[in-house]
Amino acid sequence: MTMSTTMTAMTQARSQPHGPHEAAADAGENSAEQVPGEVDWRICRFSELSPVELARIYRARQQVFTIEQQCIYLDADEFDEVSWHIAAWSPALALPLAYARLVNPGGKYAEPSMGRVITTAAARGVGLGRELVRRVLEHSALVFPRQGVRISAQERLDKIVVLIAANMVAEVCSCYVLRI
């Protein structure tokens, strides 16, 4: 899906009372047994997230960071409010398949920063993480042209995220600067 298609889909989803992914069953979390089918990519500001979407994003982040990776820190913070939120949703699942936030320049750092990057269990091993990073970099180049992107990740994941991002910078924009 191209960025223009994504943006069109986002506009249509916002005009509905609830995003298309909100129709997913509330019962249960995403599980590895469920294979994601159709993927609805959504890029939006904090104010454009519905309360249900925000709750599901926070649940997914807590599942990955707190429970799976046993990282004890305050996940929800004031930077969520000054960020773009990029998520892959499946109509069949309650939680997002993949998620990241892009913090505005001047928020955490002088340049835009990518963080809170997750792929939930239902979507691991199918390339959604790479697609997520590609979309974050593409969106950053669109809304914050000619600025670098600082990548925030846990120390043990830094190398993985950096390698994915570095391989994708050339695809996104030849003038792009990646700051780590």
Side-chain angles (χ1 to χ4, degrees):
M1 190 181 298
T2 65
M3 180 56 75
S4 59
T5 306
T6 302
M7 298 303 274
T8 302
M10 286 176 11
T11 303
Q12 292 169 349
R14 281 196 302 268
S15 67
Q16 299 171 0
H18 300 287
H21 50 274
E22 290 185 24
D26 282 318
E29 303 292 316
N30 292 1
S31 68
E33 292 87 41
Q34 297 171 312
V35 177
E38 179 184 331
V39 175
D40 173 32
W41 285 95
R42 182 136 187 255
I43 301 173
C44 62
R45 302 297 295 188
F46 182 82
S47 62
E48 297 170 309
L49 292 169
S50 74
V52 172
E53 290 172 313
L54 185 59
R56 289 178 177 175
I57 286 169
Y58 284 159
R59 274 182 29 212
R61 285 173 24 179
Q62 290 169 359
Q63 175 67 38
V64 172
F65 297 132
T66 307
I67 296 171
E68 294 175 15
Q69 297 177 1
Q70 299 180 341
C71 296
I72 309 300
Y73 62 87
L74 184 59
D75 172 57
D77 59 24
E78 68 276 9
F79 299 113
D80 282 324
E81 298 171 24
V82 293
S83 297
W84 287 93
H85 299 268
I86 298 90
W89 298 90
S90 168
L93 302 173
L95 300 184
L97 300 168
Y99 168 86
R101 73 179 183 189
L102 177 64
V103 183
N104 288 356
K108 276 184 98 161
Y109 306 104
E111 62 277 314
S113 63
M114 172 175 52
R116 301 299 198 262
V117 180
I118 63 167
T119 303
T120 55
R124 292 184 187 140
V126 297
L128 226 51
R130 290 181 188 277
E131 179 61 16
L132 172 66
V133 171
R134 187 191 70 74
R135 285 174 184 260
V136 172
L137 294 176
E138 182 178 79
H139 189 69
S140 183
L142 178 70
V143 296
F144 308 121
R146 299 196 182 281
Q147 294 189 44
V149 172
R150 185 178 296 231
I151 298 175
S152 299
Q154 297 157 23
E155 190 174 326
R156 64 186 174 153
L157 301 175
D158 274 345
K159 291 178 185 174
I160 296 168
V161 175
V162 168
L163 286 174
I164 291 171
N167 287 329
M168 294 184 180
V169 168
E171 293 177 29
V172 175
C173 177
S174 60
C175 62
Y176 215 85
V177 177
L178 181 67
R179 290 189 181 96
I180 305 191

